[in-house]
Amino acid sequence: MKIIGIDEVGYGAWAGPLLNSAVYIDIPNFESGDLSEIIEKSNDYINSVVGEENFKWIKDSKKLSIPKRESMYNFLTKNFLFSIGISYPEEIDKLNVRNANFVSMERAVQDLHKTYDLIIIDGNAKPTFSAKISTIIDGDEFSKLISIASIIAKVTRDNLMQQLHNEFPNYGWNKNVGYGTKLHSDAIKTFGITKYHRKSYKPIRKILGED
């Protein structure tokens, strides 16, 4: 059974891209229409690929320290087929963040260049680009495939935000990765916004006195 797990990062950030990672597995000699069974079988399959020691560290990326997260990223990207889909701030402002997230998901799936039987996505927002989609609330708690996507997405975006920080160092993106902090807010008040800020976001408009 060919399964793709997807997770996003950057949904609520004030600046920088919204990013989805899609991770692909093909479980031999297995077919099912039961989501719980699919999750259980995919977890077992991933365990067989990575081994017990690594398996226990596959979890929601926010629950890993930065060094461990980066270590797992290096390991997982060598052992699984994955892709990245990105929506940038201009697109988020134009489409709204929910629709931009769906576009990012679709791009990630397309970039895999793989046929699939099912896509599983963290959360309850269901895009319409495929009929083969199941959503799972707190998916990265139950599905190791979604957790792998979570880790890959988080590290990829953090690295992108470090590059953007080097271009615009006043906003602390190397630490807050574009999310709303006092330093970030104060920097906007002092220096204004950049081309990487989401101008449609209410906190941004409020700081700029537009809301």
Side-chain angles (χ1 to χ4, degrees):
M1 186 170 187
K2 300 175 177 63
I3 309 169
I4 296 172
I6 297 179
D7 201 12
E8 58 80 22
V9 64
Y11 197 95
W14 293 1
L18 185 157
L19 186 148
N20 276 273
S21 173
V23 181
Y24 172 91
I25 59 172
D26 184 358
I27 306 174
N29 306 313
F30 172 70
E31 295 293 334
S32 176
D34 182 82
L35 185 58
S36 296
E37 184 180 14
I38 291 168
I39 292 171
E40 181 179 359
K41 188 70 173 181
S42 64
N43 288 347
D44 290 342
Y45 174 79
I46 289 167
N47 192 8
S48 72
V49 172
V50 304
E52 290 284 351
E53 180 59 30
N54 290 303
F55 184 77
K56 70 182 182 182
W57 291 109
I58 299 175
K59 59 181 74 175
D60 178 2
S61 63
K62 295 185 291 292
K63 296 182 177 180
L64 297 173
S65 67
I66 293 175
K68 191 63 183 180
R69 194 160 61 220
E70 292 178 346
S71 172
M72 287 304 297
Y73 168 88
N74 291 332
F75 174 79
L76 294 169
T77 53
K78 291 174 183 175
N79 285 275
F80 293 92
L81 178 64
F82 73 97
S83 60
I84 299 295
I86 295 177
S87 285
Y88 286 97
E90 183 178 352
E91 192 169 37
I92 294 169
D93 289 336
K94 180 180 179 181
L95 299 177
N96 79 46
V97 67
R98 176 186 170 91
N99 291 328
N101 188 34
F102 291 161
V103 169
S104 173
M105 289 180 187
E106 185 174 6
R107 286 171 178 160
V109 171
Q110 289 175 341
D111 198 50
L112 282 171
H113 301 292
K114 289 287 187 178
T115 59
Y116 55 87
D117 301 301
L118 181 67
I119 297 172
I120 53 175
I121 296 172
D122 184 36
N124 59 6
K126 190 173 184 177
T128 59
F129 65 82
S130 172
K132 302 175 181 179
I133 294 175
S134 291
T135 57
I136 307 171
I137 296 174
D138 296 324
D140 45 19
E141 294 289 329
F142 302 105
S143 167
K144 295 295 185 179
L145 186 59
I146 291 177
S147 294
I148 293 171
S150 170
I151 292 168
I152 293 174
K154 173 64 174 167
V155 174
T156 301
R157 187 177 183 278
D158 284 357
N159 290 339
L160 282 172
M161 292 309 297
Q162 178 61 60
Q163 295 174 27
L164 301 189
H165 168 77
N166 294 337
E167 186 176 349
F168 292 98
N170 295 318
Y171 301 87
W173 293 341
N174 59 327
K175 301 293 185 183
N176 62 49
V177 293
Y179 282 83
T181 64
K182 186 177 186 304
L183 187 155
H184 195 173
S185 177
D186 289 346
I188 292 172
K189 292 173 185 175
T190 302
F191 303 104
I193 60 171
T194 70
K195 60 185 178 182
Y196 299 117
H197 280 97
R198 302 175 187 180
K199 301 174 183 66
S200 60
Y201 271 35
K202 190 171 183 178
I204 300 293
R205 297 201 311 267
K206 187 174 181 180
I207 293 169
L208 297 175
E210 297 175 357
D211 197 353

